[in-house]
Amino acid sequence: MAITHNIDSIIKKLNLIEKAYLPQAAEQALKSFGFESRKTLADAMRDKYQTATNYTLKSPRFEHRGSELRIYINDDQRQNQSAAQYLFPTDSSDGRRQKPIKPTTLAGFLQGKYGTNKIAVPVPGSRAGRQFIAKNGNLKGKKVQSLISQLTSPNPAGAERYFVLPERHGGLGPGIWRRYRIKNQVSLAFALVDQKPKVDTQIDFHGLLIKKAEEQLPALIEQKLRRLLR
């Protein structure tokens, strides 16, 4: 989102000297609000999300250029899934109460290798599935990458053995299964579902920041202006 502050109401109260410094004061105020916006969003995440990792809390970013301030969520494509992608379903700015979750890297891998459009959903209650869930409830990124490597390798090493069933077969449902050496037991790590699971939207990112801008920017501009006139 971009915030361009309307300073007409402030201009009316200024003399000529103050008006000369106003553009500089407004730019400084916008930059300060950029830092404040990161804290505002992080606080909202702590309040609304059941769990919030440090990566999530640090994901709000901003770019300041003159009289424009751009505020956004980090979209680092080098991550297993960027914060912007996995937080998008929780954004209520467009008025929706629920949104489908964003497919993970694992879903893309399954589509490419096994030709299935089904979504992989972890099974936290199973012996195999809980290995992929961190204490905060999020997926373990390194564990998922290890799973993909194991499924890709023609001769997987180590004690873990996984196999994929795109469709029901031999009494086993669609999913990513782990086979154990002892008695050849199996456990479902990820179920493959046809419909994308939905989550409730929780934070109105746009509305929250606009409200904070209206509350804080006039005072910030006046504060910066006073400092410039000293």
Side-chain angles (χ1 to χ4, degrees):
M1 63 172 294
I3 295 176
T4 304
H5 184 59
N6 186 339
I7 57 177
D8 290 344
S9 60
I10 297 177
I11 292 176
K12 295 177 181 178
K13 300 185 295 183
L14 304 180
N15 58 40
L16 291 177
I17 296 178
E18 290 171 333
K19 288 180 180 178
Y21 283 94
L22 183 59
Q24 186 178 352
E27 290 184 11
Q28 292 180 5
L30 278 175
K31 185 174 182 179
S32 293
F33 182 75
F35 289 104
E36 288 295 323
S37 70
R38 297 184 64 181
K39 181 180 183 302
T40 295
L41 292 180
D43 288 344
M45 291 172 180
R46 288 191 187 94
D47 180 52
K48 296 296 184 180
Y49 298 152
Q50 185 175 4
T51 57
T53 64
N54 286 332
Y55 179 70
T56 296
L57 295 175
K58 293 179 181 179
S59 64
R61 306 291 174 87
F62 75 91
E63 291 180 357
H64 172 236
R65 295 181 180 178
S67 61
E68 184 172 280
L69 176 67
R70 176 174 174 260
I71 303 170
Y72 61 98
I73 301 296
N74 186 23
D75 191 19
D76 188 351
Q77 298 299 321
R78 296 172 297 178
Q79 299 294 323
N80 187 39
Q81 187 180 53
S82 76
Q85 291 176 324
Y86 70 72
L87 291 179
F88 172 75
T90 70
D91 180 16
S92 63
S93 299
D94 58 6
R96 284 188 283 176
R97 294 183 178 182
Q98 282 192 330
K99 291 181 182 178
I101 64 171
K102 290 293 182 179
T104 63
T105 301
L106 182 57
F109 164 77
L110 293 172
Q111 183 178 21
K113 184 172 177 61
Y114 297 94
T116 178
N117 291 319
K118 293 181 178 180
I119 304 299
V121 179
V123 184
S126 72
R127 179 182 177 186
R130 59 175 170 261
Q131 304 299 317
F132 292 89
I133 307 296
K135 291 182 179 180
N136 59 17
N138 294 329
L139 273 179
K140 296 179 180 178
K142 290 183 179 180
K143 189 74 173 175
V144 172
Q145 288 298 334
S146 176
L147 170 63
I148 292 175
S149 297
Q150 202 272 351
L151 291 172
T152 304
S153 175
N155 298 302
E160 298 184 7
R161 294 290 187 273
Y162 292 91
F163 61 95
V164 177
L165 293 178
E167 303 294 338
R168 178 173 291 278
H169 178 76
L172 300 180
I176 302 175
W177 294 81
R178 179 175 176 178
R179 177 180 286 111
Y180 296 88
R181 291 179 178 178
I182 301 176
K183 297 182 180 181
N184 206 30
Q185 295 177 337
V186 296
S187 178
L188 181 62
F190 290 83
L192 296 184
V193 299
D194 292 314
Q195 294 182 338
K196 297 179 182 178
K198 291 186 176 182
V199 295
D200 293 333
T201 55
Q202 300 175 63
I203 302 176
D204 181 356
F205 288 93
H206 185 271
L208 177 61
L209 292 176
I210 291 297
K211 181 180 178 181
K212 287 293 181 181
E214 292 174 346
E215 292 174 353
Q216 297 180 5
L217 274 176
L220 280 173
I221 292 175
E222 292 183 8
Q223 178 188 83
K224 300 298 182 182
L225 186 59
R226 286 197 300 270
R227 290 182 180 179
L228 290 170
L229 291 172
R230 287 178 181 175

